[in-house]
Amino acid sequence: PPAAPIRAPIENCAHAMWVLGDDPTEPSENRLARAYLEELLSAEEAKKNAGRLGAKTDPIHVQANDYYKVLKGQILTRFPGTDAETLGKRTLNGQTLLNPEATVAWMYALAEKAAASSVGDRAALGIYGFLSNMTHPTLYPARQLREWTDDPAAGHPVAYLRLDLDFLERQASAAVMAFYNALTYVTSYFGWPTSVHDGLTARIDETMPTFFS
């Protein structure tokens, strides 16, 4: 199903851009805090799922648990004013980790502000919600892909899969746009050479002529 490979890059690109932030003049500690919040959530998930898949004494769980403790210690040392309760609420140095939906909305709002996208944060929530519904066992997206037609040979209506190529292309464009904007953002932030970015721009322009219009 196309929804999963479209939703995944949109989510990942949104989180990468959120870590860098939307204010180049902000203190670097804010970006560090956001990066730590992402890493801490990752460590918690690794520890939790390792514990569910095996015994607490399993080497994989022990390693994940040790890394989580070390990481949490690093965070508390780097930001000494932080307490466990605040960190437990996904807040560090005034930065609060956004959930996937809010992060995607933040990315689209930033892109709209920079005139890199015509999709605002409200419409972004609709896009993300629909992609999520297509990924989860939600019924209406599956129904929308089927068209019921009377079949005289069968003696009853038959459902045929209907594929809207224009709609599929718009979905693919959303993933490409997220990746392109994130690559632009990261390349600019680090001051990297633009050769890879320029190559991607040329390839997109070649294969999707209306992408930048």
Side-chain angles (χ1 to χ4, degrees), residues 28-46:
S28 59
E29 286 81 0
N30 288 353
R31 287 187 290 275
L32 178 61
R34 292 193 293 270
Y36 264 135
L37 286 170
E38 293 278 8
E39 184 66 19
L40 185 63
L41 176 61
S42 173
E44 288 179 358
E45 289 294 311

Side-chain angles (χ1 to χ4, degrees), residues 17 46 80 90 139 178:
M17 294 177 70
R90 312 292 186 199
L139 299 179

Side-chain angles (χ1 to χ4, degrees), residues 143 146-150 156-160:
R143 289 197 178 108
R146 286 162 174 78
E147 183 174 342
W148 288 92
T149 304
D150 287 329
H156 56 74
V158 176
Y160 290 95

